[in-house]
Amino acid sequence: MDWAGTPQRDTGERPALLVLDLVNEIVHPDGRYAADGYGTQARERRVLDTAADAIRRARAADIPVIYVVVGFSPGHPEWPAESPVFEKAKDDGRLVLGTWATQMHDALAPRPGEAVVVKHRISAFHGTNLEVLLRTAGIDTLLLTGVSTELVVLGTAQAAHDRDYRVRVLEDATLAGDAEIHDAALKILARISTVTTVAEALPAAPSAAAAERQGVRS
């Protein structure tokens, strides 16, 4: 879509949907981080289906979808050696950019023209061009989906809050390694953002038949 023409909704807000780190290495059954509980939570809570629904709804409403991908160049030159979060990444070659591991899960694949932001740390803002994209498009409200609730979602929400964005966390499209941590993170997130659901935050996308009828009328 034409980012400069991001529509202003009836609320007066200019939202964007952020899809955070829903990459194969973390949420695909064959991903190595998926074995740490993320794969199970994604399956049991149907997070990928719900995130895909959020993407469909956003696209139908002309709300920009921005994908955020964590990863490291081959050889892991950006790898933070003292980080307990990323300590496994270099040892066994995880999260290498340009490989299957750091591709978005097939259920959530970006369309041509949709922005993909690459990061090397937890927050989607740290060391990335995310804020340039948002400011250029006049975005003032962020809808957050993705993994993990207690790290990436929380870290991004805090950074967005301090940059004066409105933040809404779509809790049914987020996940942690276990349900207890997810619920605890939501309690913290509720202090700096609105915790809501995909259905509450985004208008329903029209069915294919309805869209076809609308196209005939127009």
Side-chain angles (χ1 to χ4, degrees):
M1 69 167 289
D2 179 2
W3 274 62
T6 300
Q8 189 157 353
R9 304 176 72 198
D10 293 341
T11 59
E13 298 176 358
R14 290 181 182 270
L17 177 70
L18 268 58
V19 183
L20 302 168
D21 288 352
L22 290 173
V23 297
N24 289 322
E25 193 83 282
I26 300 174
V27 294
H28 190 282
D30 295 333
R32 281 172 283 190
Y33 282 113
D36 293 337
Y38 300 112
T40 298
Q41 287 295 303
R43 182 182 68 253
E44 291 182 353
R45 297 186 51 241
R46 299 181 60 84
V47 170
L48 297 179
D49 290 341
T50 310
D53 184 38
I55 292 168
R56 285 191 296 269
R57 289 170 181 249
R59 288 169 176 164
D62 286 332
I63 294 171
V65 180
I66 304 174
Y67 293 84
V68 178
V69 172
V70 63
F72 304 98
S73 304
H76 291 71
E78 310 92 350
W79 177 70
E82 303 305 321
S83 169
V85 175
F86 296 115
E87 63 181 351
K88 298 177 183 178
K90 187 175 182 179
D91 289 345
D92 56 6
R94 301 185 187 195
L95 295 173
V96 176
L97 294 169
T99 69
W100 173 87
T102 53
Q103 292 175 359
M104 280 286 161
H105 190 282
D106 285 346
L108 314 169
R111 287 182 176 175
E114 290 180 329
V116 179
V117 173
V118 174
K119 67 185 178 75
H120 309 300
R121 297 295 186 269
I122 292 172
S123 168
F125 286 93
H126 184 84
T128 74
N129 64 340
L130 176 59
E131 189 162 18
V132 171
L133 292 173
L134 298 174
R135 298 297 185 194
T136 301
I139 301 299
D140 60 18
T141 302
L142 301 184
L143 311 176
L144 304 187
T145 69
V147 61
S148 63
T149 320
E150 82 282 13
L151 293 173
V152 179
V153 177
L154 178 58
T156 300
Q158 289 172 326
H161 169 275
D162 286 351
R163 288 167 170 81
D164 300 328
Y165 292 97
R166 299 183 190 91
V167 181
R168 295 193 175 91
V169 176
L170 311 187
E171 69 86 13
D172 52 345
T174 63
L175 70 133
D178 67 59
E180 184 177 352
I181 291 175
H182 174 73
D183 290 341
L186 291 176
K187 291 180 180 179
I188 299 171
L189 281 159
R191 304 192 66 174
I192 57 171
S193 67
T194 300
V195 177
T196 182
T197 65
V198 169
E200 290 170 347
L202 289 161
S207 65
E212 183 177 352
R213 290 195 298 271
Q214 180 64 32
V216 171
R217 286 199 295 271
S218 60

